[in-house]
Amino acid sequence: EAISTMQVWIPRYKYKVWNYNLDGTKTSEPQEIEIKFEKGTNTTGDIKCTDNIQGEGGDGTSEVCAINNEECSDSLCNGEYYTHPAFTFGSVDLTGFWVGKFEVSSDVECTPASYDAIGEGCNLKTVVPFIKPSEKSWRGASYSVFNETIKKMKDSNIYGFSSNSDIHIMKSRDWGAISYLSHSKYGANSNIEINGTTYNNFITGCGPQVLGSEELGTSCNPYNTELGSSASTTGNIYGVYDMSGGAWETTMTNMVAPDGKTMMSGYSTTNNSGFNGIVYSSGNYTMYTGGTDYPEEKYYDKYSFYDGDRTVVEANKNSKLGDATKEVRNTISSNWYNDISYSVTANAREWFVRGGYWYEGNPTRIGIFSLGSMSGTSLYNTATRAIIIVN
């Protein structure tokens, strides 16, 4: 019997940039994002962005954007169209991609915990993942375990994927593409209702307890009910669920180490992603080699090195167009709808997580524009989501 999988198609599009200011003077109110779909793999956006990844000693800028080869580093990009970067996968342009309709679940009963070593608790490479509603999301695994296990889905015929499918963990640019489409006339174009199950249940595809409520409860209003479908990116059953509430969702998004080349792995030799790389341990940046190597660069988004708290100006420089960070940022700690915003930093929180969960008793900070940062280790409140590309 095939394991159930459910996906949503995200078609290739360009969007009108509206909030590309690096000076920190703007405050962005939620607004409809103007989107135009593109035919085939044609890139019709005028803005071009290239990575400008820097190590220690740089100003933290992660990319440079231009129109007709003229840099638009202030607000000159605003009002122009940008083909969303999620539709480039390595050197390949995509007509679109599939995204898991729900957070990934697992075939095993396990108790997710924080900081478990690989092979303990739910931090298991033997997990068989699936994508279904009304299941407990798979949590308590490190980034490397999520990565390795999700990629194996294409190698098994139990899912029905073809041999030319590429399945991997979502990146920040993928999250941005889905959330921007959601906040356009083709989506809900509003604040998404939260997955309102209690924080220790983490049931996939659930809606709020009542419409407009950010309170949590014990009941799951399933995805195919009025309350359940209000928590999808389209406001109906055809959208993507669990992007507002549910668990924090890991994304393969990280920063480089002080040398500007090597990727960070995590906070210490025992609190990290499971990938080989630099760890910030006891105040020092040292190499960790006890894990697995990073995958090819097309499987992750990388950002410039930054090692401490920052201002809005610094955070905006370190962000990228399309990743749903600086364009929806209001303050250093909040995004649209007052969603929480914690940027990554190399000395404690090196990896991006998105979407939020029942945040320290304050569910008003949960939302599709929530941005968090973690060390990459296994945590009881972090899950993941699959992206499916068919070549």
Side-chain angles (χ1 to χ4, degrees):
E1 181 181 359
I3 297 292
S4 175
T5 55
M6 303 180 71
Q7 305 92 40
V8 175
W9 176 247
I10 308 298
R12 183 184 183 93
Y13 70 80
K14 63 181 178 181
Y15 72 96
K16 183 181 287 188
V17 175
W18 73 96
N19 203 4
Y20 183 70
N21 294 316
L22 296 180
D23 60 6
T25 59
K26 46 80 181 173
T27 298
S28 172
E29 295 299 326
Q31 58 189 276
E32 179 182 314
I33 300 173
E34 296 185 41
I35 280 175
K36 292 184 178 180
F37 296 112
E38 294 182 321
K39 293 183 178 180
T41 58
N42 291 329
T43 297
T44 60
D46 297 315
I47 299 171
K48 309 295 181 184
C49 297
T50 56
D51 271 358
N52 184 38
I53 305 301
Q54 305 173 50
E56 193 172 29
D59 67 355
T61 299
S62 289
E63 70 176 2
V64 174
C65 297
I67 302 173
N68 296 324
N69 296 319
E70 183 178 347
E71 186 176 338
C72 52
S73 59
D74 298 313
S75 59
L76 299 179
C77 283
N78 288 342
E80 304 296 331
Y81 279 96
Y82 180 40
T83 298
H84 199 283
F87 302 108
T88 299
F89 182 58
S91 60
V92 177
D93 284 325
L94 307 173
T95 58
F97 60 85
W98 296 94
V99 58
K101 194 175 183 73
F102 309 99
E103 290 172 345
V104 170
S105 306
S106 80
D107 68 327
V108 297
E109 290 286 341
C110 60
T111 302
S114 299
Y115 315 114
D116 272 347
I118 294 174
E120 298 179 358
C122 296
N123 200 8
L124 306 171
K125 295 182 179 180
T126 55
V127 162
V128 176
F130 54 94
I131 305 168
K132 295 175 64 175
S134 303
E135 299 283 345
K136 283 195 174 184
S137 59
W138 175 27
R139 292 159 288 113
S142 66
Y143 278 62
S144 61
V145 170
F146 278 140
N147 172 72
E148 184 175 331
T149 308
I150 298 301
K151 290 185 71 174
K152 286 180 181 177
M153 291 176 73
K154 79 178 186 67
D155 298 326
S156 175
N157 60 12
I158 63 175
Y159 303 100
F161 292 125
S162 63
S163 59
N164 62 347
S165 298
D166 190 300
I167 307 168
H168 54 271
I169 298 175
M170 173 183 287
K171 298 179 289 186
S172 262
R173 67 179 68 182
D174 303 321
W175 185 279
I178 299 163
S179 60
Y180 285 7
L181 186 60
S182 171
H183 216 279
S184 75
K185 65 182 180 181
Y186 303 105
N189 199 14
S190 63
N191 195 15
I192 303 298
E193 298 278 354
I194 69 168
N195 179 332
T197 54
T198 48
Y199 73 92
N200 60 346
N201 282 340
F202 296 96
I203 305 298
T204 60
C206 301
Q209 298 302 297
V210 297
L211 286 176
S213 171
E214 292 171 315
E215 297 302 318
L216 303 181
T218 57
S219 61
C220 172
N221 295 300
Y223 82 105
N224 56 355
T225 64
E226 179 181 2
L227 284 172
S229 62
S230 71
S232 87
T233 55
T234 56
N236 55 43
I237 62 171
Y238 302 108
V240 184
Y241 288 76
D242 307 322
M243 292 187 72
S244 176
W248 277 115
E249 292 193 25
T250 62
T251 62
M252 279 293 286
T253 308
N254 194 11
M255 62 170 56
V256 296
D259 63 9
K261 297 178 181 179
T262 311
M263 297 302 295
M264 295 292 296
S265 175
Y267 183 60
S268 69
T269 55
T270 57
N271 182 354
N272 59 66
S273 62
F275 289 115
N276 293 327
I278 301 295
V279 295
Y280 176 83
S281 184
S282 302
N284 299 306
Y285 292 100
T286 59
M287 189 67 189
Y288 169 74
T289 58
T292 59
D293 290 337
Y294 266 80
E296 297 176 61
E297 282 197 16
K298 66 182 180 180
Y299 291 109
Y300 60 91
D301 291 333
K302 62 180 180 179
Y303 289 72
S304 291
F305 174 80
Y306 204 91
D307 65 349
D309 295 332
R310 61 187 109 186
T311 65
V312 170
V313 171
E314 292 165 331
N316 287 345
K317 286 182 178 180
N318 197 241
S319 303
K320 295 183 179 181
L321 281 183
D323 66 3
T325 57
K326 66 182 172 187
E327 293 170 285
V328 297
R329 181 176 284 123
N330 287 334
T331 70
I332 196 59
S333 62
S334 67
N335 294 334
W336 281 5
Y337 301 108
N338 199 36
D339 289 355
I340 195 168
S341 179
Y342 279 154
S343 294
V344 290
T345 176
N347 61 12
R349 307 183 306 270
E350 296 83 0
W351 292 84
F352 282 52
V353 288
R354 311 303 292 261
Y357 85 114
W358 192 65
Y359 179 73
E360 295 180 1
N362 188 357
T364 61
R365 307 302 303 277
I366 294 173
I368 196 171
F369 297 110
S370 293
L371 169 67
S373 49
M374 306 291 186
S375 65
T377 190
S378 58
L379 294 171
Y380 81 95
N381 60 353
T382 56
T384 196
R385 189 179 298 266
I387 296 292
I388 304 100
I389 292 172
V390 180
N391 297 321

